[in-house]
Amino acid sequence: NYLKNRGYRVVSVTNADSYSYQTGSVSYRGDGQATAQEIAAIFPGDFNVKKSKLAARKDVRVRVLIGEDMIPYKKVFMEDKG
């Protein structure tokens, strides 16, 4: 809901391939760079923004990976359930 409440369309929510990511990142493909930078800016902390081929799904332009550095902000996300 954190992104939906800010006007972004969320296509899917899944678990990462590992739970050992220390920091978050926002990956984009095609013309998604501006959106990726906007999304990175609304999260607390520093998110790395990088160009990527992403998944095979054509409807996914931007992917957000939440890292362990977001644990201190859990309350912010929980309060933003909508």
Side-chain angles (χ1 to χ4, degrees):
N1 286 335
Y2 190 75
L3 291 174
K4 285 182 183 179
N5 290 346
R6 285 155 180 78
Y8 294 95
R9 184 173 70 95
V10 176
V11 175
S12 80
V13 177
T14 61
N15 289 326
D17 59 350
S18 167
Y19 291 103
S20 62
Y21 290 97
Q22 295 296 313
T23 59
S25 66
V26 182
S27 303
Y28 68 93
R29 69 173 176 194
D31 63 349
Q33 182 176 8
T35 303
Q37 290 172 330
E38 287 174 16
I39 290 172
I42 65 171
F43 277 94
D46 294 322
F47 270 64
N48 180 31
V49 177
K50 58 186 177 183
K51 188 165 187 168
S52 174
K53 293 183 182 180
L54 295 175
R57 291 182 60 161
K58 292 182 181 181
D59 57 342
V60 175
R61 290 179 38 226
V62 175
R63 180 174 58 194
V64 178
L65 187 139
I66 305 296
E68 290 182 16
D69 58 336
M70 290 292 104
I71 291 172
Y73 303 102
K74 182 178 179 180
K75 184 177 179 182
V76 172
F77 299 117
M78 297 304 290
E79 290 173 350
D80 199 74
K81 286 189 173 182

